Amino acid sequence: MLTEGKLVRDRIPQIIRADGAEPVVYVADPVEYRERLREKLREEVAEYMEADETTAPEELADVLEVAFALAADYGVGPEQLEKIRASKAQERGGFAERIVWTGNR
């Protein structure tokens, strides 16, 4: 696990500068970037798990943003990711019916 720093959204350094501070940043290499995206996904999922009904949609949007970035890192754009999702939903279904499996007889 990486210890120093964390992956932030692209405009965060600009926002910090607008607030009068000077951020210390660097651009991650491809290997570190993927590792930091995976770390960020864990962070965003944890924040979603702690969210209440009011903040949950915003936290889900953060999870989605990281998922899109990870997909892009694998060479998969949002449209292709949606096609993969839709194909899986067509083949296996979604989660709308709230089915809970408890095993087989």
Side-chain angles (χ1 to χ4, degrees):
M1 180 167 285
L2 302 166
T3 57
E4 190 173 337
K6 72 177 200 172
L7 188 66
V8 294
R9 289 175 177 263
D10 297 339
R11 293 192 60 234
I12 294 302
Q14 178 183 347
I15 292 167
I16 291 170
R17 285 185 194 101
D19 286 342
E22 185 58 35
V24 177
V25 300
Y26 67 92
V27 176
D29 67 41
V31 172
E32 180 185 0
Y33 177 61
R34 186 171 289 177
E35 187 175 346
R36 288 202 183 264
L37 277 172
R38 292 169 60 91
E39 189 176 278
K40 181 60 86 172
L41 183 59
R42 285 185 204 92
E43 175 189 324
E44 297 299 349
V45 168
E47 289 176 8
Y48 164 74
M49 296 300 288
E50 296 296 320
D52 59 24
E53 294 216 6
T54 304
T55 59
E58 185 173 321
E59 297 303 336
L60 282 172
D62 290 342
V63 170
L64 192 57
E65 188 69 32
V66 176
F68 283 157
L70 275 163
D73 194 51
Y74 286 104
V76 176
E79 299 82 13
Q80 188 178 0
L81 187 61
E82 172 56 21
K83 285 180 184 176
I84 294 167
R85 186 212 59 79
S87 175
K88 289 186 82 166
Q90 177 69 32
E91 180 183 323
R92 302 180 66 101
F95 296 96
E97 294 182 22
R98 301 182 286 188
I99 297 170
V100 177
W101 179 52
T102 61
N104 297 334
R105 292 182 197 194

